[in-house]
Amino acid sequence: MESASALIDARIKELGDWRGKTLAKVRGIIHAADPEIIEEVKWVKLKSPGTPVFSHGGIVCTGETYKNVVKLTFAKGASLKDPSGLFNSSLDGNVRRAIDIHEGDKVDEAALKDLIRAAVALNLKVKTKLKTKLKTKPKPKARRATGKRAG
């Protein structure tokens, strides 16, 4: 079985146009922003090679390719500050936000790195909160026998 990174490499090569170059570029920016990012390929179907997914403490973003756009969808984008205004798609949702990159668009590398780091920080914060909550959850009290039988 091929690694996710090899599958993403193959997808970039298969595209062979500006979309492949753009996906490769943003992939590099993502790894530069957080070297601990894990690459996965999810949602593989018979007629779909799957979607590149970049994770650290949970999904950070996906890298989808369409005919006219490369789309970076941030799983918890609605919870992230975007002072540079990179998010330009999926703005109405309660959870996700996306960046549509069209042919010829210039990617603001510094702003994208900031967004990646913020998404990772949010994932890790949520994960830490959950662990703390699970550790401090009180144990259920033991039931006392009353001597009465059910029935």
Side-chain angles (χ1 to χ4, degrees):
M1 190 167 147
E2 282 188 87
S3 73
S5 294
L7 291 171
I8 295 170
D9 288 341
R11 178 69 179 142
I12 289 168
K13 188 176 181 180
E14 175 189 308
L15 287 165
D17 59 11
W18 70 270
R19 296 171 302 162
K21 289 177 185 171
T22 302
L23 182 58
K25 180 178 177 101
V26 295
R27 179 190 195 192
I29 294 168
I30 291 166
H31 282 286
D34 181 11
E36 294 182 38
I37 284 282
I38 295 168
E39 293 185 334
E40 303 169 276
V41 175
K42 294 188 178 200
W43 311 293
V44 177
K45 297 176 186 166
L46 282 176
K47 295 185 178 186
S48 168
T51 302
V53 177
F54 304 94
S55 301
H56 184 163
I59 294 176
V60 173
C61 67
T62 61
E64 304 144 82
T65 52
Y66 299 97
K67 185 177 179 181
N68 296 317
V69 69
V70 172
K71 180 183 286 284
L72 295 179
T73 302
F74 284 73
K76 297 176 185 159
S79 298
L80 300 174
K81 291 180 181 169
D82 180 22
S84 298
L86 291 181
F87 290 134
N88 60 7
S89 182
S90 305
L91 302 175
D92 296 335
N94 292 329
V95 181
R96 291 181 289 283
R97 293 285 183 272
I99 302 168
D100 285 355
I101 306 167
H102 297 89
E103 186 172 10
D105 286 354
K106 182 161 173 43
V107 177
D108 184 339
E109 291 187 33
L112 182 54
K113 284 180 183 178
D114 288 343
L115 213 48
I116 296 294
R117 290 181 187 122
V120 169
L122 179 61
N123 281 353
L124 296 177
K125 181 179 176 183
V126 168
K127 199 172 183 179
T128 301
K129 265 188 180 177
L130 184 60
K131 275 186 180 178
T132 304
K133 191 174 186 177
L134 291 174
K135 283 182 183 177
T136 60
K137 188 176 182 180
K139 292 183 181 181
K141 293 180 182 177
R143 294 185 183 192
R144 281 196 232 154
T146 61
K148 295 181 184 177
R149 295 182 123 188

